[in-house]
Amino acid sequence: MSVARHTRTRKDPAHPKPVMKTAADKKNARTEHRRELLEAMLRIRRFEERCVELYSATKIRGFVHLYIGEEAVAVGVNGALTPEDAVVSTYREHGHALARGIAAEAVMAEMHGRTTGCSGGRGGSMHLFDASRRFYGGSAIVAGGLPLAAGLALADRMRGLPHVTCCFFGDGAFAEGEFHETANLAALWGLPLLLVCENNLYAMGTALAREHAQTDLAMRAASYGMPAWAVDGMDVEAVEQAARRAVEGIRAGTGPHFLEARTYRFRAHSMYDPDRYRAKVEIEQWKERDPISLLTDRMHENGELGDKELARIEQRITAEIDHAVEAAEQAPEEPVENLLHHVTSASAEAVS
Amino acid sequence: MGADGTAEAKTTYREAMREALREALRADDRVFLMGEDVGRYGGCFGVSLGLLEEFGPERVRDTPLSESAFVGAGIGAALAGMRPIVEIMTVNFSLLALDQILNNAATLLHMSGGQLPVPLVIRMTTGAGRQLAAQHSHSLEGWYAHIPGIRVLAPATLEDARHMLAPALADPDPVLIFEHGSLYNVSGELLPPTDPVGLDHAAIRRPGTDISLITYGGSLPKALAAVEELAAEGISAEVIDLRTLRPLDDAAIAASVARTHRAVVIDEAWRTGSLAAEVSARIAEESFYDLDAPVERVCSAEVPMPYARRLEEAALPQTADIVAAAHRAVG
Ligand SMILES: Cc1ncc(C[n+]2csc(CCOP(=O)(O)OP(=O)(O)O)c2C)c(N)n1
Ligand SMILES: [Mg+2]
């Protein structure tokens, strides 16, 4: 990366923290944390804006589902997780992957179908994986990741590990049997599972009320016997707080928790979607609650973010994404002789 | 399912499978068994009877009726370091978990670029023959054998029931084990394996020179009965038990046809698009010039399985059908 990271005085060993936190220290820590949240959301936004350009230029193909407008959910929830926790995601997952710390370079290379991609080019936009980060993808079968997440949580508990598994899914997935089977199983067995329903009010072109007889999803989840609540999914700090509360409960052994993040996607369902099923004015109204502006406004008001600071963050992200695109374009494509690799564990060696 | 009603010295297929499970649970803390009624009930076919008492409810885990959730949970647990054995009551109900088996278990390794092998074993009962009618009589193992990324086993003998589970658990990838419902009460003397029981090879259950009867699972006893009838007529039939339906042991099939020059493929599934069709096609591809007669197939009639005994018997491959097919081939 060409731009240096700015030094974090908070962690500077030359200035050891005083034992007692003063009010000023607390304010500094909060400012620092908000900057991190902001940077994480901006990275996702700018990454996906670049994806749109690359898609139009036919550099990347396949189904591409953008997360623009929903960034506060991934970033806020991630703030409540440790690196050892597991994450199961959907096809709308660039945000989850980036928030989890998978490098933009690895995600971009994946979307270019290159060997350096986080799934070696076998997955594409909908199937991002990083086993080392316990990021288990990347499922394009609506609700198909939920049972898997229950199993990850079960294994961690059977092995005596204190980890939480977090599963993201949509309001559409809530209508699938796999959601209801998993909710029952997880509650019955008291599994350490955080269910994060990203309620963006649409399943493709079907509005929430046209698909659910009862649209209060948190209430319905609670009927499985697990704590469940809704949160403003446009407010990253609210999401983080809610997720922390849930994760604390899960780690304390009170079983699965359900979080309904009320959010909205600003873009069409996928790059193929002409977006004919909702009113422009509705989209514009939601954009007034853009999670990024919401946070920057709050920080401006508190004098926590100067224009220079914001410009520095933007610059850093631009450089990161420029580099990711450049690296992806130069990365090798997999030779066709490798076609049958990774079908079974043996086939990687058998075919070369 | 009633009691076994077998003599003390003998072992049933059910007991052989139970012993395999017991051995696996003892050998490795990561192994656990889960499924509907595997614990308190003892398994819907009695296979896991007594294991709950020995290993406790964490490792012999009753699940709610939710095939997709508990099969998927098996996949997730396998990803996170466990070695689950998931029991689905029967293949008929596995359709409710097909998404997890195909789109997750068989696919994760590939989609993740090799990062996520799924060391999972799924066991289920398959097959007809007990007047259970159209929704409890499927033989869909051939569908599963269609899928790259999973291994499909069909233990047909006591030895395979007893010894195929351990290598299945050692396989880093998902393995499906199909147990034909008519085999559970089969009893006999369980012999220790002469060679290590592998998963890559078909077995010659009866050597012969005139015709190859190629089969697996619940049809094996019928093929062996046909051998006796054919022998009485002076026809020497060889019986190939495929054992592993994916990947198929092409070499064993070709070698047998090279010896006998005639083949009958016996498969309890419907004929159209069946595993028998696949085996026949491979013989046509690999062994065409070895053949002295067209390949014959003996499969189930193309009808949802009827309840009435006489009709069910007519729908299923029977020993007489195998003998008739052999006659046609021998000419
Ligand atoms: C089982 C299944 N059915 C249908 C589809 C096609 N499909 C892809 S995304 C989608 C909508 C899902 O909506 P939701 O769960 O709310 O997630 P969102 O896309 O809004 O993030 C549909 C119907 C699919 N991929 N999988
Ligand atoms: Mg939605």
Side-chain angles (χ1 to χ4, degrees), chain A residues 266-280:
Chain A
F266 295 167
R267 301 280 185 141
H269 168 72
S270 74
M271 303 303 288
Y272 283 87
D273 169 18
D275 212 343
R276 283 189 287 247
Y277 44 82
R278 52 183 190 173
K280 293 279 169 293

Side-chain angles (χ1 to χ4, degrees), chain A residues 118-119 122-123 127 129-131 134 136 138-139 141 144 147-148 150-152 154-159 178 181-182 184-185 188-189 339 341-346, chain B residues 32 34 58 61-64 66-70 72-73 75-77 79-82 99-100 103-104 108-117 148-149 172-173:
Chain A
C118 61
S119 308
R122 301 284 171 142
H127 305 300
F129 291 90
D130 186 342
R134 304 200 76 206
Y136 296 99
S139 178
I141 305 298
L148 203 78
L152 289 160
L154 173 65
D156 282 343
R157 200 189 55 194
M158 289 181 84
R159 300 176 69 201
E178 288 193 312
E181 286 190 16
T182 303
N184 178 56
L185 189 84
L188 183 72
W189 290 354
L339 175 64
H341 280 199
H342 313 310
V343 177
T344 63
S345 298
Chain B
F32 69 102
M34 74 171 152
E58 275 283 298
R61 184 173 279 273
D62 282 321
T63 67
S66 40
E67 285 78 7
S68 197
F70 71 75
I75 298 166
L79 289 176
M82 301 300 283
D99 168 47
Q100 288 300 324
N103 283 314
N104 281 339
L108 278 165
L109 178 72
H110 185 83
M111 285 197 301
S112 67
Q115 294 178 79
L116 296 177
D173 302 315

Side-chain angles (χ1 to χ4, degrees), chain B residues 194-218:
Chain B
T194 43
D195 299 315
V197 176
L199 303 180
D200 291 327
H201 298 293
I204 301 172
R205 298 297 180 200
R206 199 63 62 84
T209 52
D210 298 332
I211 188 163
S212 301
L213 307 181
I214 303 168
T215 190
Y216 68 90

